[in-house]
Coordinates of all heavy atoms in Angstrom, one line a residue:
T71 N -0.4 9.3 17.5 CA -1.7 9.5 17.0 C -2.1 11.0 17.0 O -1.6 11.7 17.9 CB -2.8 8.7 17.8 OG1 -2.8 9.2 19.1 CG2 -2.6 7.2 17.6
A72 N -2.9 11.4 16.0 CA -3.4 12.7 16.1 C -5.0 12.6 15.7 O -5.4 12.1 14.7 CB -2.8 13.6 15.0
T73 N -5.8 13.0 16.7 CA -7.2 12.8 16.6 C -7.9 14.2 16.6 O -7.8 15.0 17.5 CB -7.7 12.0 17.8 OG1 -7.0 10.8 17.9 CG2 -9.2 11.6 17.6
F74 N -8.7 14.4 15.5 CA -9.6 15.5 15.4 C -11.0 15.2 16.0 O -11.6 14.2 15.5 CB -9.8 16.0 14.0 CG -8.5 16.6 13.5 CD1 -7.6 15.8 12.6 CD2 -8.1 17.9 13.7 CE1 -6.4 16.4 12.1 CE2 -6.9 18.4 13.2 CZ -6.1 17.6 12.4
Y75 N -11.5 15.9 17.0 CA -12.8 15.8 17.5 C -13.7 16.8 16.9 O -13.5 18.0 17.1 CB -12.8 15.8 19.0 CG -12.1 14.6 19.6 CD1 -10.8 14.5 19.9 CD2 -13.0 13.6 20.2 CE1 -10.2 13.4 20.6 CE2 -12.4 12.5 20.7 CZ -11.0 12.5 20.9 OH -10.5 11.4 21.5
G76 N -14.9 16.4 16.4 CA -15.8 17.4 15.8 C -16.4 16.8 14.6 O -16.1 15.6 14.3
P77 N -17.2 17.6 13.8 CA -17.8 17.1 12.6 C -16.7 16.6 11.6 O -15.6 17.1 11.6 CB -18.5 18.3 12.0 CG -18.8 19.2 13.2 CD -17.7 18.9 14.1
P78 N -17.0 15.6 10.7 CA -16.0 15.0 9.9 C -15.4 16.1 8.9 O -16.1 17.0 8.5 CB -16.8 14.0 9.0 CG -17.9 13.6 9.9 CD -18.3 14.9 10.7
L79 N -14.1 15.9 8.7 CA -13.4 16.8 7.8 C -13.2 16.2 6.4 O -12.9 15.0 6.3 CB -12.0 17.1 8.4 CG -12.0 17.9 9.7 CD1 -10.6 17.8 10.4 CD2 -12.4 19.4 9.5
A80 N -13.4 17.0 5.4 CA -13.2 16.6 4.0 C -11.7 16.4 3.7 O -10.8 17.1 4.3 CB -13.9 17.5 3.0
P81 N -11.3 15.5 2.7 CA -10.0 15.3 2.4 C -9.2 16.6 2.0 O -8.1 16.8 2.3 CB -10.0 14.4 1.2 CG -11.3 13.6 1.4 CD -12.2 14.6 2.1
D82 N -9.9 17.6 1.4 CA -9.2 18.8 0.9 C -8.8 19.7 2.0 O -7.6 20.3 2.0 CB -10.1 19.7 0.0 CG -11.4 20.2 0.6 OD1 -11.9 19.5 1.5 OD2 -11.8 21.2 0.2
V83 N -9.6 19.7 3.2 CA -9.1 20.5 4.3 C -8.1 19.8 5.2 O -7.4 20.4 5.9 CB -10.3 21.0 5.2 CG1 -11.2 22.0 4.3 CG2 -11.1 19.9 5.7
L84 N -8.1 18.4 5.1 CA -7.1 17.7 5.8 C -5.7 17.9 5.3 O -4.8 18.0 6.0 CB -7.5 16.1 5.8 CG -8.6 15.7 6.8 CD1 -9.1 14.4 6.5 CD2 -8.1 15.8 8.2
A85 N -5.6 18.0 3.9 CA -4.4 18.4 3.3 C -3.9 19.7 3.8 O -2.7 19.9 4.1 CB -4.5 18.3 1.8

Side-chain angles (χ1 to χ4, degrees):
T71 59
T73 306
F74 291 99
Y75 286 87
L79 294 164
D82 64 327
V83 297
L84 282 165

